[in-house]
Amino acid sequence: MICAFIVMKCEGFSMITDLVDYLNNNLLIAHYCGFDITAPLPSYWTFDRFLKNFDHSVLSSIMESQVLLLASQGIVDTSFIGLDSTPVAANTSQNNQKSFLPDKFKPDKQPKADRDCKLGVHTASNKLNEKNYAFYWGYKNHVLVDCISGLPLYELTTTADIHDSSVALDILASTHSFLPVTECTFLADKGYDVKNIYHQVHSFYQGECIIPLNKRNTKNPKLLPQGNPICEAGLAMWKDGTFSDNGRTRQKFCCPLKSSKHADCPCHHKNFYNGKKHRGCTKYMTLPDDLRLSIDRESSYFKRNYSLRTECERYNSRFKSTGQERMWVRNQTSVANLNTFAHISLLAVAVAVITTRSGQSYRKIKTVKRIA
């Protein structure tokens, strides 16, 4: 059964019915999978029950053994690793673009076809003003990729409502348990720009993070070359001490005319005429006292290393080509098992190329199938 599902993903089938038809029309492949071709092959419902009831830890151990084999051959390592997630749509009519159901993307409108899926949102990029986004019911597949070879190291399936950054440290810890990620360079997009990820990678794994800054709706005030902001009246503001707040250090800037008795605010700011001794507007700037804010993201070193993260996007494209962009099963266990089968099949292609020494690319399934 495991071999049959690997065949399913190598052929790019998204439905179990396609696998059943393929095996019945290619009895030699069914024989290589281990089935008795003198007897009727398993039905659709047999494959469906297998997916739903099979222990996922067995598939995880198979994928782990593949990664360790490739690591022993020097194909994969953890020098540059990237983490990204890809949406997996559930098998429900509410994901149909031609469906005109009212309020089909409300969190309390749980699809009856799949009680495990959750509501998520998929955007075209991580820009703050990104308007190209879409809601969907389904799951996410989080994949840790070796950014040099473009092969997966670890994967995790969650529901679509789980934020990417919330599972990043768990994925790194699980990978480190069988393949050390010490002194790694961790690459990710803005969705993983969280302070605890920087500190965990630096303190526990002695590595570094290459992650763009997510400004989180922060404003960009006009600054002088010395770093002092400019008030609404066009005057340079003065430093007025620092203080700590919620684990961060902030620099306070005040109005340069606040202590003057006879001055008048050029823009007539409302805070200047409040009758208080310390009058005028104030601004605050967070000082870069942590790893997240101390990274020079305009340097050539950062840009050169961050360009390696495109391997995550390339691998996600190969993952979707196995038929995993849209699910046709109706529970989380089956979805997680199918996702792992897809990763196992892509790793199996690389293992086949290395074992046979064919000299072909271990990223191209069609090329390997052609020479088999």
Side-chain angles (χ1 to χ4, degrees):
M1 297 293 283
I2 292 177
C3 293
F5 277 106
I6 293 177
V7 170
M8 175 183 176
K9 294 294 100 181
C10 286
E11 294 294 333
F13 298 147
S14 58
M15 299 183 183
I16 299 178
T17 52
D18 295 333
L19 172 63
V20 174
D21 293 340
Y22 180 82
L23 292 178
N24 282 286
N25 293 323
N26 296 271
L27 293 179
L28 182 61
I29 300 297
H31 172 70
Y32 287 149
C33 289
F35 295 114
D36 181 9
I37 59 176
T38 62
L41 297 181
S43 65
Y44 166 86
W45 298 108
T46 304
F47 284 103
D48 186 68
R49 285 194 302 269
F50 177 85
L51 270 183
K52 186 175 182 179
N53 301 324
F54 193 70
D55 186 4
H56 184 264
S57 62
V58 177
L59 299 180
S60 298
S61 63
I62 294 175
M63 181 176 175
E64 178 182 322
S65 64
Q66 290 177 307
V67 173
L68 291 176
L69 175 61
L70 293 172
S72 65
Q73 297 293 326
I75 303 300
V76 300
D77 61 21
T78 57
S79 299
F80 295 88
I81 53 178
L83 183 59
D84 198 9
S85 66
T86 184
V88 179
N91 184 12
T92 171
S93 61
Q94 290 166 244
N95 283 330
N96 190 346
Q97 295 181 354
K98 297 182 179 180
S99 173
F100 298 100
L101 296 174
D103 303 329
K104 63 180 180 178
F105 289 127
K106 280 198 172 183
D108 57 346
K109 298 290 185 180
Q110 179 69 33
K112 296 181 180 180
D114 190 343
R115 295 294 183 180
D116 296 336
C117 68
K118 299 296 181 182
L119 182 64
V121 60
H122 175 60
T123 58
S125 70
N126 286 303
K127 296 180 181 180
L128 293 177
N129 57 350
E130 178 60 58
K131 297 182 180 179
N132 186 15
Y133 64 91
F135 292 101
Y136 73 100
W137 288 96
Y139 306 88
K140 283 184 180 180
N141 188 245
H142 309 263
V143 190
L144 187 67
V145 178
D146 173 20
C147 292
I148 302 300
S149 65
L151 294 174
L153 302 177
Y154 187 85
E155 64 89 26
L156 176 67
T157 299
T158 64
T159 52
D161 60 334
I162 301 299
H163 196 275
D164 294 348
S165 61
S166 63
V167 298
L169 296 180
D170 294 334
I171 291 176
L172 287 175
S174 299
T175 307
H176 186 70
S177 64
F178 68 92
L179 185 66
V181 296
T182 308
E183 298 182 357
C184 67
T185 299
F186 179 73
L187 306 126
D189 57 27
K190 291 181 180 180
Y192 298 88
D193 183 32
V194 181
K195 185 183 296 185
N196 62 343
I197 294 179
Y198 291 88
H199 289 279
Q200 184 79 352
V201 171
H202 176 74
S203 60
F204 190 78
Y205 302 115
Q206 293 78 50
E208 63 174 345
C209 291
I210 304 294
I211 304 175
L213 185 66
N214 188 349
K215 297 183 180 181
R216 296 181 178 89
N217 297 324
T218 56
K219 298 179 180 179
N220 294 320
K222 296 182 180 179
L223 301 178
L224 294 175
Q226 296 80 5
N228 293 51
I230 300 176
C231 69
E232 297 179 9
L235 303 177
M237 304 186 71
W238 294 351
K239 291 184 178 180
D240 194 21
T242 60
F243 66 98
S244 297
D245 178 31
N246 295 328
R248 59 183 177 178
T249 303
R250 305 178 70 188
Q251 174 71 58
K252 180 181 178 182
F253 293 90
C254 65
C255 176
L257 304 176
K258 74 170 188 175
S259 299
S260 178
K261 297 182 179 179
H262 305 288
D264 192 15
C265 178
C267 68
H268 301 285
H269 197 281
K270 61 179 182 179
N271 291 343
F272 195 83
Y273 305 99
N274 56 12
K276 298 181 180 180
K277 180 179 180 181
H278 299 287
R279 53 186 179 171
C281 58
T282 57
K283 292 182 183 296
Y284 300 91
M285 294 180 61
T286 302
L287 299 178
D289 59 344
D290 57 11
L291 293 172
R292 176 176 175 267
L293 299 178
S294 62
I295 298 176
D296 184 7
R297 293 175 172 82
E298 298 299 325
S299 64
S300 59
Y301 174 81
F302 180 91
K303 295 179 180 179
R304 182 173 61 253
N305 286 329
Y306 186 69
S307 63
L308 296 175
R309 202 197 69 84
T310 55
E311 284 297 335
C312 296
E313 306 294 344
R314 294 189 183 98
Y315 180 77
N316 284 338
S317 178
R318 299 202 301 274
F319 172 76
K320 293 177 180 179
S321 68
T322 63
Q324 291 302 104
E325 193 170 9
R326 166 72 184 271
M327 287 289 98
W328 297 98
V329 290
R330 299 178 183 273
N331 58 84
Q332 186 172 357
T333 303
S334 298
V335 171
N337 286 337
L338 271 180
N339 286 338
T340 308
F341 273 124
H343 297 297
I344 289 176
S345 66
L346 295 175
L347 286 171
V349 172
V351 171
V353 171
I354 300 304
T355 304
T356 58
R357 296 183 174 88
S358 61
Q360 300 295 328
S361 173
Y362 48 76
R363 304 182 187 185
K364 299 179 180 179
I365 295 181
K366 292 184 178 179
T367 302
V368 177
K369 288 164 56 179
R370 196 175 298 121
I371 65 174

